[in-house]
Amino acid sequence: MRIAVLDDYLNVAKGLADWGSLKAEVTFFNEFIQPEKMASTLAPFEVVVAMRERSAFPGELIEALTNLKLLVTTGMRNNSIDMDACRKRGVVVSGSPGDPLSTGATAELSWALLLALFKQIPKEDANMRRGLWQTSMPPTIQGKRLGLLGVGNLGGKVGRVGKAFGMDVVAWSPNLTAERAAEAGVTLVSKEELFKTSDAISIHLVLSERTRGIVDAACIQSMKPTAYLVNTSRAGLVDLVALKKALEQGTIGGAGIDVYESEPVVANDPWRNVPRTVLTPHLGYATPENFAVFYKNVVANIQAFAAGAPTRVLT
């Protein structure tokens, strides 16, 4: 059996699981494979391991990979895989859950970005190294309004930290009820009020056809000139053209961004130079604890498939 482990950017996959137990030929790809080279590169492999949604598997690629029998994705959902094409071809797709304790990692990163923005940490750090002293006056967080776009598991965690800081925490999402908001300890408001009145907005929605572009130009234009937007969910939730314009023109205070339209972000991508931003390279789920459990479960999935009893099947 030939196995391809994709998008191992940090070169850690080999040491995080017992790949030798598979008695197979395992190839680890540390560099991102460009979409136009995916078919030729992966043609020899019967099993492909995808790291979340780093690499896409559209229908035409599934059709081209005639040797492919098993596609394993870390996580239990992967919108970049054409499941219909896999079913048609008879390719089994299985998911591999991560560390349950790492579900808060994205919420932690959301707060790292929020604090960096509120307290102007990147700017002050850079200016300290230039020999300057006190070039900004960061505001207090206590008493400010935090708007949550979604209060599921991650949004709820972010909201609880906001409450601990003494913030007024409000929320909106397409299906959020006043009762569910109250259970999360936050106040339900309209989408319009959330964007107009919040001092910081943190996005915690799943990307779908219904939520794509849900943070549109009108939302961004209605934000306070001092307000911050943080996105650790998916880039497709936001009108990026409108956001970039607002940041360049200074009509909002800033943005903390961990997710991008195309990943990995190329070296000359314009977003690398957009002002009033704190940028991180999709670190939300990338913890050693999470990856260790991901890859152990991947190996277990491959063993189960080889034994004729596939587990955690998503197709």
Side-chain angles (χ1 to χ4, degrees):
M1 183 183 291
R2 288 164 294 185
I3 303 168
V5 181
L6 304 187
D7 299 317
D8 181 24
Y9 299 158
L10 296 173
N11 198 23
V12 296
K14 188 174 183 179
L16 290 177
D18 185 10
W19 301 96
S21 66
L22 298 174
K23 296 178 172 57
E25 179 186 325
V26 185
T27 303
F28 299 92
F29 291 88
N30 308 131
E31 299 291 332
F32 177 71
I33 304 170
Q34 295 299 324
E36 64 272 14
K37 296 182 179 179
M38 286 279 281
S40 59
T41 302
L42 300 181
F45 297 95
E46 290 87 17
V47 178
V48 173
V49 178
M51 174 50 72
R52 298 286 292 267
E53 296 171 0
R54 290 179 176 180
S55 289
F57 287 84
E60 57 269 24
L61 177 59
I62 298 297
E63 288 296 323
L65 298 177
T66 55
N67 286 320
L68 182 63
K69 296 180 175 61
L70 173 67
L71 177 54
V72 187
T73 177
T74 55
M76 294 303 292
R77 178 176 58 230
N78 192 325
N79 291 330
S80 69
I81 297 174
D82 188 328
M83 296 294 184
D84 289 335
C86 289
R87 280 188 283 267
K88 182 179 177 182
R89 267 275 335 278
V91 175
V92 175
V93 181
S94 68
S96 300
D99 175 23
L101 296 179
S102 288
T103 57
T106 301
E108 293 169 4
L109 183 66
S110 298
W111 266 106
L113 292 170
L114 281 165
L115 287 170
L117 289 163
F118 266 109
K119 300 303 179 182
Q120 297 292 305
I121 290 173
K123 175 185 174 182
E124 289 300 332
D125 176 78
N127 286 342
M128 281 287 290
R129 296 173 194 278
R130 291 172 54 208
L132 303 177
W133 185 256
Q134 285 193 1
T135 60
S136 61
M137 190 179 292
T140 58
I141 291 176
Q142 185 173 352
K144 299 296 190 298
R145 172 168 278 197
L146 172 63
L148 301 174
L149 208 62
V151 281
N153 180 41
L154 294 176
K157 290 178 187 294
V158 172
R160 288 193 289 277
V161 175
K163 298 283 281 188
F165 272 123
M167 300 185 81
D168 171 30
V169 185
V170 299
W172 176 87
S173 68
N175 296 319
L176 184 62
T177 64
E179 292 75 20
R180 174 68 189 90
E183 289 173 6
V186 303
T187 302
L188 173 66
V189 295
S190 68
K191 182 181 179 184
E192 292 74 17
E193 181 181 344
L194 185 142
F195 279 91
K196 287 180 180 178
T197 65
S198 295
D199 297 291
I201 297 167
S202 192
I203 303 172
H204 302 286
L205 293 174
V206 173
L207 179 63
S208 67
E209 286 310 307
R210 189 174 62 153
T211 60
R212 184 174 295 278
I214 198 166
V215 182
D216 58 17
C219 293
I220 294 166
Q221 289 166 8
S222 70
M223 289 173 64
K224 292 181 178 182
T226 54
Y228 301 118
L229 180 70
V230 168
N231 189 7
T232 57
S233 293
R234 289 293 182 270
L237 295 164
V238 180
D239 182 333
L240 296 178
V241 174
L243 178 60
K244 184 171 180 287
K245 180 179 178 181
L247 292 165
E248 290 172 340
Q249 295 181 349
T251 56
I252 65 172
I257 304 172
D258 188 50
V259 288
Y260 306 88
E261 197 168 24
S262 179
E263 298 180 10
V265 176
V266 297
N268 62 348
D269 190 287
W271 273 101
R272 291 183 183 268
N273 297 307
V274 175
R276 301 177 179 85
T277 57
V278 179
L279 308 178
T280 50
H282 207 152
L283 295 179
Y285 69 98
T287 69
E289 298 87 352
N290 210 24
F291 276 40
V293 178
F294 272 154
Y295 285 125
K296 286 183 175 68
N297 284 328
V298 164
V299 169
N301 283 7
I302 297 172
Q303 289 172 333
F305 177 82
T311 187
R312 304 188 186 102
V313 176
L314 303 181
T315 38

